[in-house]
Amino acid sequence: MATPLLSVTDLQVGFATERGLLRAVDGVSFDLAEGQTLGIVGESGSGKSVTAKTLMNLLPSYARVEGSVMFDGRDVRAMAAERERHFWGVEMTMVFQDPMTSLNPVKKVGEQIAESLRVHLKRSRREARDDAGDLLQQVGIPEPKKRLTQYPHELSGGLRQRVVIAMALACSPRLLIADEPTTALDVTVQKHILDLLDELREERGMAMILITHDLGVVKGRADQIMVMYAGRTMEQADTATLFSEMRHPYTEALLETIPRVDMASHSRLVPIPGSPPDAVDLGQGCPFAERCRYCSASCLIDQPSLEQHRQGHACACHAPVGTDAGAAAHAANHETGVTPAGLDMGTFATAVGEKT
Amino acid sequence: MAGSGAIQMRDSDEVVLRVESLVMEFPAGRNQVVHAVSDVSFDVCRGETLGIVGESGCGKSTTARALVQLPRPTSGTVTLDPGADGQVELTGIEGEALRSVRPRVQMIFQDPISSLNPRRRVRDIIGEGLIIWQDQHPDVDVDARVDEVLRAVGLDPVVAASRRPHEFSGGQCQRISIARALAIDPEILICDEPVSALDVSVQAQILNILEEMKERFGLTLVFISHDLSVVRNVSDRVVVMYLGKVCEIGNSDSLFSEPAHPYTRVLLASAPEPSTVVDASEVAIGDEVPSPINPPSGCRFRTRCPRVTELCASAEPVMRKMGPDHFVACHFPGSP
Amino acid sequence: MDTPPQVDPAEQFGVVVARRLGFGFWIAAAWIIIIVTAAALAPWLPIADPNETGVGGRMDGPGWSNWFGTDSNGRDMFARTIWGARVSLIVGFFSVLLGICVGGTLGMIAGYFRGIVDRIISFSVFVLLAYPGLVLALLIVGLAGQTLPIVAMTLGIVAIAPIARLSRATTLAYSEREFVAAARVLGATDRRIMVRELLPNVLIPMGALTLLGMAITIVAEGGLAFLGLSVEEGFSWGKMIVLGSSPRTLREGPWVAMFPIGAMFVTVLALNFAGDRLREYFDVRELGIGAA
């Protein structure tokens, strides 16, 4: 296999707080090849956004970062020290959840796009303006000439996000990181934006990291998926494998807990009991153990490491779903009615009268 | 998109809440008016869950607030127990009279943190309604009732009651909000996007609690959400709204298996995991929802509708019947 | 991509970071407590009578017998500084109290009811703000007399407008919160909502403002003293400074002005610092709860 475009190895990000070290990202590794899409799925606090911001060198200076990030054979973290200006925004760029974080509210849209073209690509004023119009056209903005002279607040949320994407694409990046790019948008617009990102990625052979809390968003779009929880990678696989041979109880729980439009009314959702753990005080063992129905005694004391079950499918669990160990752990918990973490197995059973 | 017509209204003794020709307008400066909700009519039967779904700006939350007269609608009526002897028209009363019927309709809000007073303890927050009405019900044991509802929503009164909201997670705060609403034993519970601010792993807990509470306390629910799959999961009957108007209303199964309005179909096709009953090509045109200050003539969805014709601009579609309990406001309903 | 957002780790992870007031706050608080206690207990403290002349020599420098020296009448400056604190602090405290009671209430009423009530109150506040505070104070004290209650009330009236503005803004912000809507849905009366739901939230910034406001009024009272409009009977730090700042006194006994100046300076500094820390402490706390 050729050298991947982006290679992240054992990334650790911590923040010192008064209560102790907050491990935002703990041992994340992945490779991303040119033209591929990696989906990072996790809830708030899972470390998915911090991972992206580490790649983009956007963390505050007090963050403690360890591990290596190689982009096309270059060490990105060493570059940060040299104040490499023409890397971020040119070769690697990012689209945020809220388009207004990337847009200057008092500058016209056209000026903002032209500015990055002039700074990074040394275009003349005139060229930059023409190119800006072309870019808006490419991201599917109707009447691009008119939009160039408008201010961000005059645009709808969907159009703003398109402008941000146009800005991100201005310098033809090789990697685009999209952090919840559609969470703030309506579903009808969300689909348009995700489709647009997909098209542009294909056209330009760009690699993409798509960060989301919704497994459904990455299902049809990512080549690989990484599921994160409490700063750690829980499961990592190519998309088809992940959905057909899901191994981690957290991934399974996420899928079962989210309602889908094709489910009958009043179908009972299997809840994930409890709440996500405190990132400062994770203790030993698996961070999901407290909420897991496959929990065994060893899960509470021994943190499972991320192991490859087979080529391209890794999972950090002592008793993975679909294995003998998993079945045994589940049966044992079912028997006693309570998991070793003290969770009542009845929580998962049908407590509400099903109507269908 | 319609609104005109009230054919969807049911004539049943079981109707506990009837909303007729609800209009909500807000001044927007320079003599302009925001048409947030325009001529919306629906009813809710006892023990039913009515889901209201739509995207931002469709007027669903404004409608929810209008049900509890916050603020009072510009025109239209909201009636409790219509046709019964004790019929109360909320839009026709004010002051003390309105205040005294308030406990019958309670509400939970989207933001679990903003809906709890940060300076008060959980016991006081939940007991507030009981204390307000203690003069009328002097034999109610406030502390016992607070403990009871706390336990009902899955919180331990010993641990939770003396704490303040910031010591709880978002999901727990939402449980506290539910407990507060339930403490005074309402008939109708209006849930305005109750799970959209929560982590995905916690959503199901809250949805399940709402279902449980509905059974246990004999509630009628009005459930507002932008998320079709959530609405599908909890509702018996669904109202689809767009730009202040009702597009489609009907029994949940019928509406989701045979969506008739192009907008409903667009919503189903745009979901992260699209429904199989619609074609993937059925998407909205463009990203821009027209301004509610100057909504399109005729059908309000026509500017983004994949099936638009000239008729749609000139005539506003009237509600028509698609099935036993399935109504749509479109000139060209059904699958394309 | 000019301004990437900064990550606040604590916020992102929902970790409620323990907040501290800090060492400086406690030093400031200790000073305030010392000065308030000394002022309150002045009649019982083993110090000289501040009005007794000839306790020491005339214009004695600071020393063992008179720690802060004596003034031109031979009065003990240490005792006078403590007694001067009484007037300064009483004026500071009661004027702010008046400002908060009147201004705070008006602001809450305006912020909660809005509409025409808000417009009337806000307009009055603007008028009051537009009128120079010092001129207003001159007018009232000049007309009503230079007694302690009048001076305190005057400065309190000047404080009403800014306090009303803060109270209105805070009330407006909290009125938008859903817990206020929830209370109305429960059937709470307007009065109950204002007292139970809004007041505890509005009081927090007000509390911090009390300290900042006291600092301002103590200085303002000093300003009045320079115009000869401080209290006629008794004396405040401001009046002491005025008495000590004739060219001759400054030349022969600079300590006569320096000690009240120093006391006022340190007290005002401490009040400002403590008030600011308190405000920050509660603001951050508010963020931790997750302001929308």
Side-chain angles (χ1 to χ4, degrees):
Chain A
M1 203 174 129
T3 346
L5 177 69
L6 178 72
S7 179
V8 174
T9 316
D10 198 22
L11 187 69
Q12 314 246 3
V13 183
F15 298 99
T17 70
E18 298 200 11
R19 295 198 298 125
L21 186 68
L22 187 158
R23 292 179 190 280
V25 177
D26 192 359
V28 164
S29 304
F30 61 86
D31 286 342
L32 180 61
E34 210 125 7
Q36 296 270 298
T37 302
L38 168 72
I40 303 183
V41 180
E43 299 175 74
S44 55
S46 64
K48 58 187 196 303
S49 291
V50 176
T51 305
K53 280 169 183 147
T54 315
L55 301 180
M56 286 298 294
N57 197 28
L58 290 177
L59 290 181
S61 55
Y62 54 84
R64 297 184 199 159
V65 185
E66 274 167 58
S68 97
V69 180
M70 303 291 282
F71 183 88
D72 198 17
R74 286 172 291 170
D75 187 341
V76 171
R77 295 199 41 229
M79 224 155 33
E82 295 158 24
R83 295 181 181 234
E84 175 73 58
R85 282 164 155 268
H86 288 276
F87 178 71
W88 288 284
V90 179
E91 297 201 54
M92 195 199 281
T93 183
M94 187 156 170
V95 173
F96 298 92
Q97 175 178 338
D98 178 6
M100 287 312 279
T101 54
S102 319
L103 293 171
N104 183 341
V106 296
K107 256 177 150 180
K108 286 178 185 157
V109 165
E111 286 173 39
Q112 298 191 45
I113 303 176
E115 190 179 78
S116 68
L117 286 166
R118 284 171 54 210
V119 171
H120 292 303
L121 301 182
K122 309 271 179 272
R123 295 281 156 81
S124 73
R125 217 169 260 278
R126 205 196 158 81
E127 282 170 342
R129 201 180 51 225
D130 292 345
D131 286 357
D134 291 346
L135 278 166
L136 288 189
Q137 182 111 46
Q138 281 177 44
V139 295
I141 292 183
E143 304 175 82
K145 284 277 174 295
K146 182 178 139 203
R147 305 293 180 189
L148 286 175
T149 61
Q150 288 184 318
Y151 289 95
H153 69 87
E154 296 178 77
L155 306 178
S156 68
L159 286 187
R160 275 182 215 155
Q161 197 59 296
R162 283 178 193 257
V163 169
V164 171
I165 292 171
M167 283 168 67
L169 293 177
C171 304
S172 305
R174 295 166 71 192
L175 171 63
L176 176 72
I177 303 173
D179 187 359
E180 304 253 11
T182 58
T183 307
L185 304 175
D186 282 327
V187 273
T188 52
V189 179
Q190 176 174 349
K191 183 174 164 61
H192 290 167
I193 299 288
L194 291 171
D195 287 348
L196 171 73
L197 283 172
D198 231 17
E199 275 163 35
L200 292 167
R201 181 191 56 78
E202 203 147 312
E203 258 171 49
R204 294 166 174 246
M206 158 176 95
M208 189 156 87
I209 297 178
L210 184 58
I211 296 169
T212 173
H213 64 272
D214 189 344
L215 267 172
V217 166
V218 288
K219 191 174 184 179
R221 301 175 199 275
D223 300 294
Q224 278 183 75
I225 293 177
M226 181 162 92
V227 179
M228 290 184 72
Y229 186 77
R232 297 184 189 152
T233 306
M234 296 280 115
E235 186 164 13
Q236 201 168 356
D238 59 83
T239 308
T241 314
L242 187 92
F243 283 98
S244 61
E245 292 171 40
M246 170 165 314
R247 282 275 180 269
H248 202 286
Y250 175 62
T251 320
E252 185 194 52
L254 265 187
L255 269 185
E256 285 180 1
T257 201
I258 302 170
R260 284 190 304 275
V261 272
D262 284 341
M263 286 178 7
S265 294
H266 303 290
S267 325
R268 183 174 156 79
L269 304 168
V270 182
I272 307 179
S275 4
D278 179 350
V280 177
D281 184 21
L282 282 174
Q284 24 177 219
C286 171
F288 190 59
E290 304 272 314
R291 310 174 74 188
C292 180
R293 61 187 139 163
Y294 296 89
C295 178
S296 60
S298 58
C299 300
L300 295 175
I301 43 170
D302 182 19
Q303 184 191 330
S305 55
L306 191 67
E307 274 167 38
Q308 294 241 343
H309 288 257
R310 62 187 186 97
Q311 185 60 37
H313 188 178
C315 166
C317 182
H318 290 309
V321 182
T323 63
D324 293 344
H330 190 259
N333 289 340
H334 208 74
E335 193 73 30
T336 52
V338 61
T339 72
L343 186 65
D344 181 2
M345 288 294 279
T347 328
F348 300 103
T350 312
V352 181
E354 275 177 76
K355 283 193 178 167
T356 44
Chain B
M1 167 150 327
S4 342
I7 175 175
Q8 71 272 28
M9 306 303 272
R10 293 170 290 189
D11 183 24
S12 155
D13 294 344
E14 289 297 296
V15 172
V16 286
L17 178 71
R18 176 172 289 161
V19 177
E20 279 171 298
S21 308
L22 186 77
V23 176
M24 272 300 229
E25 290 168 354
F26 302 104
R30 278 184 285 170
N31 292 325
Q32 288 180 315
V33 171
V34 176
H35 302 272
V37 176
S38 308
D39 196 10
V40 162
S41 303
F42 58 84
D43 51 23
V44 194
C45 285
R46 195 175 306 281
E48 184 177 67
T49 300
L50 177 81
I52 303 182
V53 70
E55 296 175 288
S56 51
C58 75
K60 56 188 190 300
S61 284
T62 314
T63 305
R65 296 243 176 177
L67 299 183
V68 291
Q69 312 294 304
L70 287 180
R72 184 171 288 270
T74 313
S75 69
T77 59
V78 177
T79 316
L80 286 180
D81 291 338
D85 292 341
Q87 160 173 340
V88 183
E89 193 193 314
L90 293 177
T91 37
I93 53 176
E94 54 187 358
E96 271 306 297
L98 176 61
R99 203 171 75 81
S100 67
V101 292
R102 281 203 178 281
R104 298 176 62 184
V105 187
Q106 286 303 300
M107 188 159 178
I108 54 178
F109 301 88
Q110 172 173 3
D111 184 347
I113 285 128
S114 161
S115 49
L116 302 177
N117 189 338
R119 307 264 165 249
R120 302 190 76 185
R121 293 182 193 282
V122 168
R123 178 172 300 284
D124 301 329
I125 291 174
I126 296 176
E128 176 74 4
L130 296 168
I131 290 164
I132 292 171
W133 298 106
Q134 204 161 32
D135 293 347
Q136 279 73 14
H137 307 277
D139 48 334
V140 171
D141 180 346
V142 174
D143 282 344
R145 179 69 180 168
V146 170
D147 289 355
E148 183 193 342
V149 288
L150 266 175
R151 263 186 234 111
V153 297
L155 293 171
D156 180 0
V158 180
V159 182
S162 59
R163 301 195 178 185
R164 288 184 210 272
H166 70 263
E167 296 177 63
F168 295 91
S169 67
Q172 289 168 326
C173 285
Q174 209 57 304
R175 288 169 190 245
I176 295 168
S177 286
I178 296 172
R180 166 177 59 193
L182 294 180
I184 54 172
D185 207 10
E187 294 159 42
I188 299 171
L189 183 61
I190 296 163
C191 313
D192 186 7
E193 301 259 16
V195 296
S196 43
L198 303 178
D199 275 329
V200 281
S201 73
V202 179
Q203 282 190 11
Q205 295 174 11
I206 300 301
L207 292 177
N208 285 346
I209 283 178
L210 283 172
E211 290 272 16
E212 256 168 65
M213 295 303 110
K214 185 184 151 192
E215 296 287 318
R216 179 164 169 180
F217 294 91
L219 297 169
T220 302
L221 294 187
V222 177
F223 191 101
I224 285 103
S225 176
H226 67 279
D227 189 336
L228 273 178
S229 42
V230 168
V231 166
R232 158 97 217 204
N233 185 262
V234 299
S235 313
D236 301 300
R237 204 160 188 254
V238 173
V239 176
V240 181
M241 286 183 73
Y242 183 83
L243 211 57
K245 292 271 189 181
V246 174
C247 301
E248 188 165 0
I249 181 167
N251 161 307
S252 179
D253 291 332
S254 159
L255 190 138
F256 280 97
S257 58
E258 294 166 59
H261 199 285
Y263 178 62
T264 314
R265 301 184 70 88
V266 161
L267 280 179
L268 285 166
S270 307
E273 287 183 72
S275 166
T276 48
V277 302
V278 292
D279 193 81
S281 64
E282 292 186 67
V283 291
I285 299 164
D287 295 347
E288 277 180 293
V289 179
S291 160
I293 290 174
N294 196 5
S297 64
C299 173
R300 289 196 181 174
F301 186 54
R302 69 178 166 84
T303 56
R304 296 178 71 206
C305 182
R307 289 185 211 168
V308 64
T309 68
E310 277 168 27
L311 175 65
C312 303
S314 56
E316 184 180 352
V318 175
M319 272 289 172
R320 61 168 90 172
K321 192 163 180 163
M322 293 299 288
D325 181 23
H326 189 173
F327 305 87
V328 65
C330 176
H331 293 303
F332 309 99
S335 40
Chain C
M1 320 255 101
D2 312 11
T3 48
Q6 283 283 301
V7 199
D8 180 345
E11 202 177 314
Q12 182 146 16
F13 290 88
V15 174
V16 181
V17 180
R19 279 164 292 265
R20 286 189 193 152
L21 287 163
F23 188 57
F25 171 81
W26 293 111
I27 292 186
W31 172 260
I32 295 168
I33 290 168
I34 289 171
I35 203 84
V36 168
T37 319
L41 301 179
W44 300 280
L45 287 180
I47 50 174
D49 182 335
N51 295 316
E52 192 186 337
T53 52
V55 174
R58 292 158 66 109
M59 291 289 198
D60 276 354
W64 280 115
S65 48
N66 307 102
W67 293 353
F68 287 5
T70 57
D71 65 5
S72 53
N73 292 320
R75 293 178 295 198
D76 180 50
M77 284 308 296
F78 182 69
R80 287 180 70 78
T81 304
I82 288 174
W83 279 86
R86 277 171 87 93
V87 174
S88 284
L89 290 174
I90 286 172
V91 168
F93 180 75
F94 284 98
S95 59
V96 172
L97 191 69
L98 176 76
I100 283 184
C101 289
V102 179
T105 312
L106 283 176
M108 273 186 75
I109 291 171
Y112 180 74
F113 289 105
R114 304 192 204 179
I116 183 79
V117 182
D118 182 20
R119 263 175 276 164
I120 294 170
I121 293 177
S122 292
F123 184 76
S124 319
V125 165
F126 283 139
V127 171
L128 210 54
L129 279 175
Y131 205 86
L134 198 60
V135 178
L136 188 69
L138 274 172
L139 202 74
I140 303 175
V141 178
L143 288 175
Q146 289 166 253
T147 63
L148 187 60
I150 298 280
V151 171
M153 192 192 76
T154 305
L155 291 170
I157 290 172
V158 175
I160 287 175
I163 291 174
R165 242 171 40 152
L166 176 80
S167 151
R168 175 180 173 272
T170 317
T171 310
L172 269 178
Y174 278 102
S175 298
E176 291 292 314
R177 296 281 188 102
E178 287 167 345
F179 65 78
V180 173
R184 292 182 78 187
V185 173
L186 284 173
T189 55
D190 287 332
R191 214 185 72 189
R192 189 172 175 92
I193 292 174
M194 289 176 74
V195 174
R196 293 291 167 120
E197 309 290 345
L198 294 172
L199 189 62
N201 288 294
V202 176
L203 272 182
I204 294 295
M206 290 291 157
L209 191 81
T210 311
L211 297 182
L212 299 176
M214 276 181 72
I216 295 169
T217 42
I218 287 173
V219 173
E221 190 277 335
L224 280 184
F226 266 84
L227 296 168
L229 290 171
S230 183
V231 286
E232 247 166 4
E233 276 176 43
F235 52 88
S236 65
W237 284 337
K239 197 167 163 187
M240 288 169 69
I241 296 168
V242 175
L243 293 174
S245 54
S246 70
R248 192 171 150 236
T249 318
L250 275 179
R251 201 168 51 241
E252 288 175 12
W255 54 85
V256 176
M258 277 317 173
F259 283 107
I261 287 176
M264 187 193 270
F265 175 77
V266 177
T267 307
V268 167
L269 194 69
L271 285 168
N272 269 319
F273 190 79
D276 205 47
R277 291 295 304 157
L278 274 182
R279 189 183 51 77
E280 228 169 68
Y281 179 77
F282 283 110
D283 270 358
V284 173
R285 192 166 186 81
E286 202 48 53
L287 279 181
I289 299 164

